[in-house]
Amino acid sequence: MMNSRTRRRRRIDLGNTALGIAAASAIGFLYGPIITLMVFSFNDNPITKLPLTGWTLDWYYKALTNSDLLAALWNSVIVAVAAVIICLVIGIPTAFALDRFDFRGKTLFRRLVILPITLPGIITGVSILAFFSMAGVKLSLVTVIIGHGTALTAIVVTNVFARLQRFDRRIEEASADIGARPWQTFVYITLPNIRSAIIGSALIAFTLSFDEIPVTYFLTGRDNTLPMYIWSVVRRGITPEINAIGTIIVALSIVLIFLSVLLIHSDGGTKKKMR
Amino acid sequence: MKHSTRTIRDFWLLFTGPAIWWSLVLLVPYVIMLMISFYTRKFPFHVPDFQFGNYLKLIEDPQYYLVIFRSLKIAFLVGVTAFVISYPLAYCLARKIKSSRFRLLLYVATIIPLWVSYLLRAYTWKTILGSEGILNSFLMWTGIIQEPSTFFLYNQFAMVITMAYIFTPFMVMPVYASLEKIPPSLIEASKDLGAGRIKTFLKVTLPLSMPGVLAGFTFTFCLSAGDFISPALVGGPYSNMVANVVATQFGIAMNWPLGSALGMVLLFIVLAVITLSDRLERAGRINLA
């Protein structure tokens, strides 16, 4: 009796151990390569191989004094900021229209709007390229911005829409009942309730724009964005300079994402996917 | 909703801008791409036409249909690999970790890599798998192999492992969500009725978590089927995927009609997979109820 129970417990423990190891390996699999990327940004061998030979900050110095890279970085900042503005200007009214009005073809419209985050980015890229080519628009950073705006607005729409769906409209009615004008109700009641969803999704859109390739690849003219610059370098070969700039980007995007997760999940909100 | 004049005015006040925007940047480009897929290629560019030659070429020329099959195969393998990696992790998160704070921490830790630059995550695998790379130098350093192996990089294995790595969080999230939704009472009932742990898992937990697995598989499949960055970085010369060929046709090959037709095929594959998984999920829901 005692014996069989201990044996049973041992088997359970063995199962749990195996499960624990598998889960830990999965986390290791997710973080190993990122840590590798970071470690080799400090290694003083131009070839990324083991064993590590010595510590250096040269790659950071090289990256941060590389004028092509800095120009690309600046372009990326411009593109991301402009794209986020488009996302907000278009995305917020779209979310309101979907939440507050019934109109013909609404279901179809909702599906259309999320297509850019459902379909592979390359489809958005080549279809907008075809459109610009037919309209005779020359490719530049402006076309990249429009492409990013198209590809990423859905993120603002889905997040703001989800927040609006949970928002208790009776608060707005109460505000109107006690004499607030519509704009006052909007500014003092509605906006504060959806503010964190707006800021959170704007941060996500910024991060994604900063990392975007499939759309940019087809819509960029002579100017490179940062991912396009990195892409052109890593296609040719490997240099720890990319590890250095990569480490900086990783650190910054993790900070941004923490901020946006905090904001989206504040007010007890959860991010709903419309997919 | 009452359609008073005021509501209609408010609606158009709100919606005119977005409606114009969405038509111009989304609807019109998709329609144009569809149109171009029927055009005829004619040096130096193409001429308007309505013929199915581009689609026929995709079916007849092995160069193209093999690429489509390869993309489906790779995307399937990525989905399966991501499933194998994710399930134990999602299971541990949902079932084994008692502290809710630790669970949240681990869950967030699973998602964070998703926000680390996509390109850099693909690039780092190139540095790991290359013939002068980290894995090779490690194996030589420890004396396991004498010569650097070219087996790791520039093949379909490298593509599958890289994309599985990139898209794994998309599998963990829905699987975890579906596992968390299973009422503990069902597991207890199964155990009370005498089923062992393995039987309970196979008969209760696994089937009830299938909607999450399906959603995760749909995400990972669609994302990898349409990818051209990872294949170009780690796939080597014989690992072109559909999106790579689309990129080539719109780039140096300058054959937009063929590229558009292939793009439409990709669009169709992705929408078909999403619709199918949606149907399956609904059918499953009825069965369980």
Side-chain angles (χ1 to χ4, degrees), chain A residues 2-71:
Chain A
M2 257 308 263
N3 207 355
S4 80
R5 193 183 289 165
T6 30
R7 198 179 304 145
R8 190 178 156 76
R9 187 183 294 157
R10 193 171 300 152
R11 204 175 63 207
I12 289 175
D13 284 345
L14 206 68
N16 273 339
T17 313
L19 193 65
I21 290 173
S25 316
I27 293 283
F29 178 66
L30 284 172
Y31 280 87
I34 297 176
I35 293 167
T36 307
L37 177 85
M38 292 177 156
V39 166
F40 280 94
S41 73
F42 297 108
N43 187 29
D44 68 2
N45 190 342
I47 300 167
T48 50
K49 60 191 266 189
L50 289 168
L52 297 171
T53 41
W55 298 99
T56 179
L57 287 174
D58 278 4
W59 305 115
Y60 287 87
Y61 178 76
K62 281 210 171 116
L64 296 175
T65 49
N66 178 337
S67 60
D68 286 348
L69 193 151
L70 291 178

Side-chain angles (χ1 to χ4, degrees), chain B residues 142-200:
Chain B
T142 51
I144 295 171
I145 54 172
Q146 261 68 50
E147 294 279 304
S149 164
T150 51
F151 175 75
F152 304 124
L153 191 62
Y154 300 132
N155 52 36
Q156 302 191 356
F157 159 78
M159 262 157 66
V160 171
I161 198 84
T162 303
M163 288 197 274
Y165 168 70
I166 293 172
F167 299 132
T168 283
F170 284 111
M171 180 67 88
V172 178
M173 287 190 281
V175 172
Y176 168 74
S178 69
L179 280 169
E180 203 195 23
K181 256 188 269 168
I182 301 173
S185 56
L186 289 182
I187 313 292
E188 279 160 29
S190 166
K191 285 189 175 153
D192 285 349
L193 291 170
R197 281 156 46 91
I198 292 168
K199 201 171 179 189
T200 301

